[in-house]
Amino acid sequence: MAFAHNNFLTEHCLYQDDDILVINKPAGVLTIPGKGDLIDSVLTRLQAIEPRTLLIHRLDRDTSGILVFALNKAAQSHISKQFQARTTEKFYQAILSGHLSTHLPQQGTIDIPVVYDASRPPLHIVDANEKKPAVTHWQVLQEFELNGLAVTRVEFKPITGRSHQLRVHSQYLGHAIVGDTLYADENYRRISPVLCLHAQRLRFVHPRTNEEIQFESQPAF
């Protein structure tokens, strides 16, 4: 098991120094352990190699892309405060069902709250009455066909970080994310074995140098 964990770090590490560890998370792996027997996660795999690894933020299990972890309490606090203050910049790529150009402009902003739907776990829904905002900027990158179905590649820049925000906001646009087993219709679920949502770029201030740094990874889809 330790060897497997060591391979995980070798294959997915983008950067490491005395304060931070930046990982390109694969789809299908939890960020932290889940309920019950769901012990395996990025965090537990990293802690098996580097016990100092500390959580800062999360990605959904089915979302791939950039995650930064801290290697000491000071770094964890420093970067966590940046996420809380929304001074970090996060950019995602996604493939959405349909061609957005049929009824939408090339870019825009979705500004509607997202809340947990207790009647249909683990689903989330938009709720205009919720006080906590959920804001996502989006931009069309490319329209094409995938396995005979119309799709659109977009860039998302979420300002807030609500659970399932990008997945629910995509559905709210009328164009759910391809491969999304919760929010897409059956045809668009089947044309991809993974959720086509990837945390492509992350920009924040390094906790020791106080210099702005950026990490980037390209999606596999």
Side-chain angles (χ1 to χ4, degrees):
M1 182 63 71
F3 179 72
H5 287 159
N6 208 22
N7 281 348
F8 178 83
L9 183 60
T10 301
E11 292 174 8
H12 300 289
C13 181
L14 296 176
Y15 177 82
Q16 182 175 0
D17 61 23
D18 292 336
D19 300 290
I20 61 174
L21 176 59
V22 182
I23 295 294
N24 186 25
K25 174 190 169 301
V29 183
L30 292 166
T31 299
I32 62 173
K35 296 179 181 180
D37 297 330
L38 299 176
I39 303 300
D40 183 41
S41 68
V42 176
L43 182 62
T44 52
R45 293 183 189 189
L46 294 177
Q47 287 179 335
I49 303 165
E50 176 47 84
R52 296 179 300 158
T53 304
L54 299 169
L55 180 72
I56 294 175
H57 65 125
R58 308 179 192 183
L59 294 175
D60 287 346
R61 178 191 63 187
D62 295 330
T63 304
S64 59
I66 298 174
L67 273 173
V68 57
F69 294 86
L71 295 178
N72 54 67
K73 288 286 187 180
Q76 182 188 40
S77 176
H78 192 288
I79 302 173
S80 293
K81 288 177 181 177
Q82 294 180 55
F83 275 94
Q84 293 165 10
R86 301 175 188 165
T87 58
T88 60
E89 283 194 323
K90 299 170 287 182
F91 298 86
Y92 290 71
Q93 268 199 33
I95 297 179
L96 306 189
S97 59
H99 286 166
L100 274 66
S101 64
T102 59
H103 65 108
L104 290 169
Q106 290 295 298
Q107 59 186 18
T109 298
I110 309 162
D111 184 358
I112 189 165
V114 173
V115 299
Y116 177 67
D117 185 354
S119 67
R120 298 183 299 160
L123 294 179
H124 289 63
I125 57 174
V126 296
D127 184 351
N129 295 317
E130 169 64 29
K131 293 182 179 179
K132 293 182 179 179
V135 180
T136 304
H137 301 312
W138 60 270
Q139 179 176 343
V140 170
L141 299 178
Q142 179 189 15
E143 293 185 332
F144 59 104
E145 288 193 355
L146 181 62
N147 292 341
L149 293 177
V151 297
T152 303
R153 185 180 296 273
V154 299
E155 180 182 77
F156 284 129
K157 182 183 179 183
I159 304 304
T160 53
R162 309 300 174 206
S163 182
H164 287 205
Q165 176 175 316
L166 298 181
R167 299 168 73 174
V168 174
H169 275 178
S170 297
Q171 183 190 44
Y172 179 74
L173 283 179
H175 298 271
I177 298 174
V178 169
D180 194 333
T181 58
L182 294 179
Y183 302 103
D185 67 30
E186 185 175 355
N187 287 333
Y188 282 101
R189 291 178 189 180
R190 291 190 300 185
I191 61 171
S192 173
V194 297
L195 176 71
C196 292
L197 178 62
H198 180 78
Q200 181 187 18
R201 282 186 286 155
L202 177 62
R203 185 180 301 151
F204 59 94
V205 174
H206 192 281
R208 187 178 298 271
T209 66
N210 285 320
E211 294 180 354
E212 191 174 78
I213 53 176
Q214 176 174 290
F215 298 94
E216 184 168 353
S217 75
Q218 296 303 316
F221 51 79

